[in-house]
Amino acid sequence: MPDFKCRLKVLRAERDLTQEELAQAVGVTRQTIISIEKGDYVPSLLLGVKLARYFQKPVEEVFLLE
């Protein structure tokens, strides 16, 4: 199975966003953002699309399969 990589931390840093700010913007808890960034949680399709839209990026630029 391919490795799942997430670029949320990098994208947040580019916009100088905290985990809490991002969480509020997409309607989840800060713990959810932490878990996604650490690789402990793979978001649902709906949450993945919300995150990609927030950053105005295609889903494939936010979440990568290696």
Side-chain angles (χ1 to χ4, degrees):
M1 179 181 221
D3 288 328
F4 177 78
K5 301 291 180 187
C6 173
R7 296 188 60 237
L8 283 186
K9 192 170 185 175
V10 172
L11 295 170
R12 276 193 315 100
E14 290 174 358
R15 291 194 180 192
D16 199 29
L17 286 171
T18 66
Q19 291 169 331
E20 182 65 33
E21 290 168 331
L22 178 57
Q24 288 179 359
V26 297
V28 298
T29 66
R30 178 174 166 261
Q31 285 303 119
T32 299
I33 300 300
I34 290 168
S35 293
I36 294 169
E37 288 183 355
K38 286 174 52 179
D40 294 338
Y41 174 69
V42 177
S44 68
L45 178 58
L46 178 60
L47 179 53
V49 170
K50 282 182 182 181
L51 289 163
R53 281 190 178 172
Y54 179 83
F55 289 108
Q56 299 176 336
K57 303 275 186 196
V59 172
E60 296 86 357
E61 286 186 27
V62 180
F63 303 100
L64 311 166
L65 288 177
E66 294 185 338

